[in-house]
Amino acid sequence: MQGILYEEASIWQFFFVTCLLGGWAAWMTGRACAQTWRGYPMLLFYLLLLGIAVRFIHHALFDGTMFSLQYYIVDTVVLMILGSLGFRYTRTNQMVTQYHWLYERASLLSWKSKAEPT
């Protein structure tokens, strides 16, 4: 997988920077966008910027390539997955808590309308 998903000598460097540091930041970005009722396109924009920051950390700490489209895309896809999960988890909690008379939890990441009483 080295050379395809990451360029560092060890997968642990990729895991630490992209998945742990970047993933935590992406989760918190998704959470913040949901809490402030921003839309999903705004979250994607923020995560594209966060992808540049993660590439810079790879470059600064591990002498990685700063301007590599392939590794930027890989990092950004990981960030978008984790950021989207944070967004949906927080939005689901908002909907079932703030509008408890309208919605109930369908799963960890979704909600559904409550059935009308007959």
Side-chain angles (χ1 to χ4, degrees):
M1 296 309 258
Q2 182 185 13
I4 298 172
L5 294 179
Y6 61 95
E7 63 181 327
E8 290 82 11
S10 170
I11 192 168
W12 296 110
Q13 293 172 350
F14 170 78
F15 180 75
F16 176 70
V17 174
T18 301
C19 297
L20 285 182
L21 294 178
W24 175 80
W27 178 276
M28 295 306 286
T29 302
R31 185 173 178 261
C33 283
Q35 285 178 339
T36 56
W37 295 97
R38 287 187 170 88
Y40 191 73
M42 187 57 101
L43 171 65
L44 295 179
F45 173 72
Y46 290 148
L47 293 176
L48 290 173
L49 295 177
L50 186 59
I52 295 170
V54 168
R55 283 309 317 150
F56 176 75
I57 293 172
H58 280 289
H59 171 70
L61 294 180
F62 303 113
D63 200 29
T65 307
M66 176 69 185
F67 301 109
S68 170
L69 183 61
Q70 174 187 355
Y71 299 127
Y72 171 74
I73 291 172
V74 170
D75 290 343
T76 305
V77 166
V78 170
L79 297 177
M80 286 188 177
I81 290 169
L82 294 172
S84 296
L85 287 173
F87 181 86
R88 289 295 297 184
Y89 179 77
T90 305
R91 183 57 52 92
T92 299
N93 285 337
Q94 282 178 311
M95 296 302 284
V96 299
T97 303
Q98 294 180 12
Y99 304 106
H100 56 85
W101 66 92
L102 289 176
Y103 301 112
E104 62 187 0
R105 186 179 306 277
S107 70
L108 195 60
L109 302 175
S110 64
W111 63 91
K112 63 181 180 179
S113 295
K114 285 189 174 180
E116 291 290 324
T118 57

PDB file of all heavy atoms in Angstrom, residues 88-89 92-93 105-110:
ATOM      1  N   ARG A  88     -23.305  13.789  10.703  1.00  0.00           N
ATOM      2  CA  ARG A  88     -24.565  13.048  10.779  1.00  0.00           C
ATOM      3  C   ARG A  88     -24.896  12.627  12.207  1.00  0.00           C
ATOM      4  O   ARG A  88     -26.057  12.659  12.625  1.00  0.00           O
ATOM      5  CB  ARG A  88     -24.524  11.804   9.880  1.00  0.00           C
ATOM      6  CG  ARG A  88     -24.571  12.111   8.410  1.00  0.00           C
ATOM      7  CD  ARG A  88     -25.858  12.742   8.019  1.00  0.00           C
ATOM      8  NE  ARG A  88     -26.973  11.840   8.259  1.00  0.00           N
ATOM      9  CZ  ARG A  88     -28.225  12.097   7.945  1.00  0.00           C
ATOM     10  NH1 ARG A  88     -28.538  13.233   7.395  1.00  0.00           N
ATOM     11  NH2 ARG A  88     -29.169  11.232   8.210  1.00  0.00           N
ATOM     12  N   TYR A  89     -23.892  12.225  12.969  1.00  0.00           N
ATOM     13  CA  TYR A  89     -24.120  11.832  14.359  1.00  0.00           C
ATOM     14  C   TYR A  89     -24.660  13.012  15.165  1.00  0.00           C
ATOM     15  O   TYR A  89     -25.638  12.883  15.900  1.00  0.00           O
ATOM     16  CB  TYR A  89     -22.815  11.302  14.961  1.00  0.00           C
ATOM     17  CG  TYR A  89     -22.942  10.891  16.398  1.00  0.00           C
ATOM     18  CD1 TYR A  89     -23.542   9.681  16.735  1.00  0.00           C
ATOM     19  CD2 TYR A  89     -22.476  11.702  17.421  1.00  0.00           C
ATOM     20  CE1 TYR A  89     -23.672   9.297  18.062  1.00  0.00           C
ATOM     21  CE2 TYR A  89     -22.607  11.333  18.745  1.00  0.00           C
ATOM     22  CZ  TYR A  89     -23.196  10.126  19.060  1.00  0.00           C
ATOM     23  OH  TYR A  89     -23.319   9.758  20.372  1.00  0.00           O
ATOM     24  N   THR A  92     -28.220  14.066  13.925  1.00  0.00           N
ATOM     25  CA  THR A  92     -29.231  13.132  14.409  1.00  0.00           C
ATOM     26  C   THR A  92     -29.580  13.427  15.859  1.00  0.00           C
ATOM     27  O   THR A  92     -30.761  13.456  16.233  1.00  0.00           O
ATOM     28  CB  THR A  92     -28.744  11.681  14.256  1.00  0.00           C
ATOM     29  OG1 THR A  92     -28.517  11.424  12.872  1.00  0.00           O
ATOM     30  CG2 THR A  92     -29.756  10.694  14.786  1.00  0.00           C
ATOM     31  N   ASN A  93     -28.566  13.644  16.676  1.00  0.00           N
ATOM     32  CA  ASN A  93     -28.822  13.986  18.081  1.00  0.00           C
ATOM     33  C   ASN A  93     -29.622  15.280  18.197  1.00  0.00           C
ATOM     34  O   ASN A  93     -30.514  15.387  19.045  1.00  0.00           O
ATOM     35  CB  ASN A  93     -27.514  14.103  18.860  1.00  0.00           C
ATOM     36  CG  ASN A  93     -26.909  12.755  19.146  1.00  0.00           C
ATOM     37  OD1 ASN A  93     -27.598  11.742  19.171  1.00  0.00           O
ATOM     38  ND2 ASN A  93     -25.606  12.725  19.344  1.00  0.00           N
ATOM     39  N   ARG A 105     -35.162   8.419  16.745  1.00  0.00           N
ATOM     40  CA  ARG A 105     -33.922   7.884  16.187  1.00  0.00           C
ATOM     41  C   ARG A 105     -34.211   6.599  15.422  1.00  0.00           C
ATOM     42  O   ARG A 105     -34.848   5.680  15.932  1.00  0.00           O
ATOM     43  CB  ARG A 105     -32.934   7.617  17.317  1.00  0.00           C
ATOM     44  CG  ARG A 105     -31.566   7.198  16.856  1.00  0.00           C
ATOM     45  CD  ARG A 105     -30.618   6.976  18.009  1.00  0.00           C
ATOM     46  NE  ARG A 105     -30.512   8.113  18.903  1.00  0.00           N
ATOM     47  CZ  ARG A 105     -29.711   9.167  18.685  1.00  0.00           C
ATOM     48  NH1 ARG A 105     -28.969   9.213  17.602  1.00  0.00           N
ATOM     49  NH2 ARG A 105     -29.657  10.150  19.557  1.00  0.00           N
ATOM     50  N   ALA A 106     -33.719   6.534  14.190  1.00  0.00           N
ATOM     51  CA  ALA A 106     -33.847   5.325  13.388  1.00  0.00           C
ATOM     52  C   ALA A 106     -32.580   4.485  13.485  1.00  0.00           C
ATOM     53  O   ALA A 106     -32.629   3.262  13.467  1.00  0.00           O
ATOM     54  CB  ALA A 106     -34.127   5.678  11.929  1.00  0.00           C
ATOM     55  N   SER A 107     -31.445   5.151  13.575  1.00  0.00           N
ATOM     56  CA  SER A 107     -30.160   4.485  13.766  1.00  0.00           C
ATOM     57  C   SER A 107     -29.213   5.505  14.381  1.00  0.00           C
ATOM     58  O   SER A 107     -29.618   6.609  14.731  1.00  0.00           O
ATOM     59  CB  SER A 107     -29.611   3.954  12.443  1.00  0.00           C
ATOM     60  OG  SER A 107     -29.204   5.020  11.618  1.00  0.00           O
ATOM     61  N   LEU A 108     -27.975   5.140  14.489  1.00  0.00           N
ATOM     62  CA  LEU A 108     -26.993   6.039  15.079  1.00  0.00           C
ATOM     63  C   LEU A 108     -26.815   7.307  14.240  1.00  0.00           C
ATOM     64  O   LEU A 108     -26.508   8.367  14.777  1.00  0.00           O
ATOM     65  CB  LEU A 108     -25.649   5.309  15.222  1.00  0.00           C
ATOM     66  CG  LEU A 108     -24.601   5.946  16.116  1.00  0.00           C
ATOM     67  CD1 LEU A 108     -25.133   6.086  17.536  1.00  0.00           C
ATOM     68  CD2 LEU A 108     -23.340   5.127  16.103  1.00  0.00           C
ATOM     69  N   LEU A 109     -27.024   7.203  12.923  1.00  0.00           N
ATOM     70  CA  LEU A 109     -26.778   8.330  12.022  1.00  0.00           C
ATOM     71  C   LEU A 109     -28.024   8.816  11.300  1.00  0.00           C
ATOM     72  O   LEU A 109     -27.916   9.580  10.336  1.00  0.00           O
ATOM     73  CB  LEU A 109     -25.709   7.948  10.991  1.00  0.00           C
ATOM     74  CG  LEU A 109     -24.355   7.520  11.556  1.00  0.00           C
ATOM     75  CD1 LEU A 109     -23.437   7.065  10.432  1.00  0.00           C
ATOM     76  CD2 LEU A 109     -23.724   8.636  12.348  1.00  0.00           C
ATOM     77  N   SER A 110     -29.209   8.417  11.721  1.00  0.00           N
ATOM     78  CA  SER A 110     -30.411   8.873  11.015  1.00  0.00           C
ATOM     79  C   SER A 110     -31.606   8.934  11.966  1.00  0.00           C
ATOM     80  O   SER A 110     -31.589   8.367  13.051  1.00  0.00           O
ATOM     81  CB  SER A 110     -30.728   7.948   9.840  1.00  0.00           C
ATOM     82  OG  SER A 110     -31.049   6.665  10.296  1.00  0.00           O
TER      83      SER A 110
END
